[in-house]
Amino acid sequence: MDQNKEVLLTEEGYKKIEDELEFLKTVRRKEVAERIKVAISFGDISENSEYDEAKNEQAQLEERILKLENMLRKAVIIDESQVDLSVVTIGSIVKVNDLDFDEEVEYTIVGSAEADPYEFKISNESPVGKALLGRKVGETVEVQVPDGIAKFKILEIRR
């Protein structure tokens, strides 16, 4: 990931990162510090697997905290009230008809930091997200996906 690249977030995404960061800095740091303290109390730390595990967990935790702090520093919040509803943009909720499966699906187009395919939040940098950007209601979009080519007809754009 480009270190200087801005991180596009919705208001909800920014808040979610803030909340996770707060939880990690307060609750998780204390839990991990306590695990380290308990492991040290077992005596010799040179062959102490509990101590090694706790120190590894601490390193991963601090790495995640740094990553989240960096994301918030570089965050550009998308003003969803300014989202142009005539075309698909970041912040749009797009209802499409997946022509291969003949089913309607709604995707929210978000920045890559917020993408969550299980919640149908797709990145503006993903193949489907890129293909939908700038398109209008009524257009059919073809996207190269791992399984071949997917076709989507845009039915509605909202926020």
Side-chain angles (χ1 to χ4, degrees), residues 86-88 131-137 139-142 154 157:
S86 66
V87 296
V88 178
L132 290 172
L133 284 176
R135 303 313 270 282
K136 296 181 170 159
V137 171
E139 287 189 60
T140 299
V141 179
E142 291 189 4
I154 300 173
I157 302 168

Side-chain angles (χ1 to χ4, degrees), residues 1-10 13-18 20-21 24 63-77 111-115:
M1 189 169 105
D2 180 2
Q3 294 301 323
N4 297 316
K5 187 175 165 194
E6 59 188 25
V7 178
L8 301 172
L9 294 169
T10 60
Y14 188 88
K15 179 82 176 102
K16 207 170 176 179
I17 291 172
E18 274 186 327
E20 181 184 351
L21 185 59
L24 295 179
E63 189 177 321
R64 179 71 179 155
I65 286 171
L66 283 174
K67 184 178 180 186
L68 294 177
E69 286 174 339
N70 199 30
M71 287 169 75
L72 292 178
R73 252 195 316 281
K74 294 178 181 170
V76 174
I77 297 176
S112 59
E114 239 179 297

Side-chain angles (χ1 to χ4, degrees), residues 93-105:
I93 298 170
V94 187
K95 184 189 285 186
V96 297
N97 185 339
D98 183 329
L99 298 174
D100 297 324
F101 296 100
D102 192 30
E103 65 180 8
E104 289 184 8
V105 184

